[in-house]
Amino acid sequence: MKLPATFISSLEGLEGFDQDAFEKVHASGDQITSIRINPLKSSSIINEDCFTGDPVHPSIGVKPIPWCGWGYYLEIRPSFTFDPLFHAGCYYVQEASSMFLEQALLQTSDLTKPLKVLDLAAAPGGKSTHIQSLISKDSLLVSNDVIRSRGNILKENIIKWGCSNVMVTNNDPRDFAKLENYFDVIVVDAPCSGSGLFRREPAAIEEWSLNNVQLCNQRQQRIIANVWPALKKDGVLVYSTCSYSSEENEEIISWMAGQLSGEICHLTFDTDWGIVPSGGGYRFWPDKVKGEGFFMACIRKKDGDKESIHKIKSKPLFATRNDEMIIKNWADTSASDFIKYKNTVYSWPSDLVNDFSLLLSNLGVIYSGTIIGEIVREKLVPDHAFALSSQVSKLIESKALNYGQAINYLKKNDLHLENSSKGWQLVSFNGHALGWINVLNNRINNYYPKHSRILKDL
Ligand code: SAM
């Protein structure tokens, strides 16, 4: 891997930059694999310091990631596609440096309180699923991406995570300005020149230029300026990039401290972690940290208001009593309100109904809470999202599949199961739901979503 001379010289003098070590680590071809466990489903996927999800390598060694309670390095990269628990949403495959977000949130915000958090540039969902695992049940996460197709991927990952306190939106950053003083935390994982990922994606080297770094800097300022009004007084903006360029990192922080009068928050951590403090933020150099290139900083807003006053323009349509009677046969209905739009029923956390209603009339919402299913002729046709949530009633039958059956199900092939009773049932692997089947007299209908099915062969 040859790194461009203009790129290397642009890094000279940066805090922690060691040219020899940096070039060596890029030339080494080393690849790091890491995952973050979903505490909502915490599974046996890590067992006695081993990752057990790969049928070819059934006991891959793991090591905890020091800055993230649920994060693990894996000794070798398994085939995630062929691990049913990956599809069940038991864990997320995420780059280790990015998981430092946990320290940023823990050290700057009281995560035991009900918070309103915006993840502005959220697709495919690494930071959003992490934030969801850290905030309390009665907190709200708005997970947004400006690109619609990426918003759909984000939605799929949020569904897999099995939570219901998240709203997925597809908005431009400037659309959030009208929600003045609304959010306690805004995470801006900004689009950037991407040099931090050169080791993993060498093709990105071709696209790097000083000119692009400059354009990214301007776009980053624009994004932050657009969304800043939506942050409340004393709220925190967590800014990050996967770029090494100071124009996209320290310069943005100093611009925020100056132009926006933000106060830089300092984080404390073990120096052995190898993370380098720089210009109010924290640098991750791959020759010092077991992870890719990354930068993160936290800025507290010192002006604005602590309270936000927003009128809910229209109330959502609640499911009728009759609908609720039908839903009660399927779902744990405590702590949820049921909304019906056309025939589709959504479950919203009761604590968040007002916030969800407000956001629904202000943003381009593409997903909210959990879709329970469609009510057709007085019967519920359950949705895949419902299967992956924790809301399915214990009274609903669940069929445990073996490994071969689980892969067959995830490929959306025909299933042949012995001694199955008739009707709708969950299918699960190692105690975790994969989706729905409907057992008829002469066949079993496989309701795994077509767009998610495994296409490869083992
Ligand atoms: N936070 C994500 C995660 O952890 O999985 C990764 C986000 S990626 C670094 C940056 C995101 O910014 C992309 O999903 C992209 O669609 C979005 N984006 C691109 N242009 C944007 C813009 N002008 N304003 C806001 N977001 C933008």
Side-chain angles (χ1 to χ4, degrees), residues 121-127 145-147 150 173 189-191 219 223:
K127 307 237 171 17
D145 207 277
V146 68
I147 299 174
R150 290 180 62 81
D189 188 27
R219 184 167 55 182
I223 290 172

Side-chain angles (χ1 to χ4, degrees), residues 21 26-27 56 75 86 92 94 133 138 144 166 178 181 194 205 232 243 255 258 265 283 288 293 317 342 372 414 450:
H26 280 81
V56 181
E75 213 172 47
F86 170 71
Y92 192 95
Q94 189 183 22
S133 300
D138 50 358
N144 176 73
V166 181
K178 60 188 166 203
N181 306 316
I205 299 174
K232 19 173 107 135
S243 161
W255 169 81
C265 307
R283 280 188 168 266
K288 296 188 167 56
L317 297 168
K342 297 187 177 156
I372 299 295
D414 287 342
K450 195 172 172 199

Side-chain angles (χ1 to χ4, degrees), residues 113-364:
K113 293 224 167 98
L115 299 177
K116 296 189 190 89
V117 184
L118 168 63
D119 185 4
L120 183 71
K127 307 237 171 17
S128 277
T129 51
H130 196 180
I131 296 165
Q132 198 285 328
S133 300
L134 294 168
I135 57 179
S136 62
K137 254 178 148 173
D138 50 358
S139 292
L140 162 77
L141 170 63
V142 178
S143 184
N144 176 73
D145 207 277
V146 68
I147 299 174
R148 176 66 208 224
S149 56
R150 290 180 62 81
N152 289 336
I153 299 166
L154 176 62
K155 170 181 154 185
E156 296 307 323
N157 282 326
I158 293 295
I159 286 175
K160 259 184 19 184
W161 211 240
C163 47
S164 65
N165 55 346
V166 181
M167 214 165 206
V168 181
T169 59
N170 171 223
N171 283 88
D172 188 278
R174 74 173 85 92
D175 299 338
F176 289 91
K178 60 188 166 203
L179 291 166
E180 221 179 331
N181 306 316
Y182 184 74
F183 291 102
D184 299 281
V185 178
I186 297 182
V187 175
V188 180
D189 188 27
C192 68
S193 61
S195 47
L197 299 181
F198 280 173
R199 184 162 60 149
R200 242 180 31 187
E201 295 164 19
I205 299 174
E206 302 284 303
E207 281 159 39
W208 189 89
S209 70
L210 280 174
N211 189 39
N212 191 33
V213 167
Q214 215 48 57
L215 288 174
C216 286
N217 162 288
Q218 286 158 17
R219 184 167 55 182
Q220 288 148 355
Q221 286 190 21
R222 218 168 36 238
I223 290 172
I224 294 169
N226 280 333
V227 84
W228 189 250
L231 188 63
K232 19 173 107 135
K233 181 169 191 235
D234 291 332
V236 173
L237 189 143
V238 181
Y239 176 79
S240 60
T241 72
C242 57
S243 161
Y244 296 110
S245 302
S246 57
E247 293 88 332
E248 301 180 69
N249 297 325
E250 291 85 349
E251 281 188 26
I252 295 287
I253 304 312
S254 118
W255 169 81
M256 285 176 75
Q259 287 296 110
L260 305 175
S261 313
E263 180 186 273
I264 293 169
C265 307
H266 296 281
L267 307 179
T268 54
F269 48 84
D270 196 329
T271 48
D272 286 352
W273 294 357
I275 301 162
V276 178
S278 174
Y282 301 93
R283 280 188 168 266
F284 292 68
W285 294 102
D287 49 290
K288 296 188 167 56
V289 164
K290 197 171 169 192
E292 302 309 315
F294 187 63
F295 176 89
M296 182 169 273
C298 307
I299 319 287
R300 200 175 295 281
K301 185 170 172 179
K302 295 315 288 177
D303 50 13
D305 240 310
K306 279 194 177 194
E307 299 298 324
S308 65
I309 302 157
H310 297 283
K311 268 216 173 109
I312 300 169
K313 287 183 209 133
S314 59
K315 285 257 175 208
L317 297 168
F318 287 92
T320 62
R321 281 191 79 88
N322 194 34
D323 296 331
E324 287 208 13
M325 294 301 285
I326 298 169
I327 298 161
K328 270 209 166 89
N329 293 324
W330 289 81
D332 169 9
T333 54
S334 59
S336 298
D337 282 20
F338 294 93
I339 309 299
K340 194 173 167 195
Y341 179 69
K342 297 187 177 156
N343 283 336
T344 305
V345 176
Y346 292 78
S347 151
W348 285 3
S350 302
D351 290 333
L352 298 178
V353 166
N354 284 341
D355 287 293
F356 273 26
S357 306
L358 172 75
L359 297 172
L360 198 58
S361 50
N362 280 284
L363 298 172

Side-chain angles (χ1 to χ4, degrees), residues 390-425:
S390 53
Q391 293 184 57
V392 180
S393 157
K394 300 276 173 287
L395 301 174
I396 296 291
E397 270 200 53
S398 177
K399 181 93 185 159
L401 302 184
N402 63 30
Y403 180 76
Q405 290 167 332
I407 296 296
N408 225 4
Y409 176 73
L410 295 167
K411 287 181 157 212
K412 209 170 164 58
N413 290 341
D414 287 342
L415 283 187
H416 304 281
L417 304 173
E418 303 286 304
N419 307 323
S420 278
S421 40
K422 303 282 172 288
W424 285 99
Q425 290 172 41

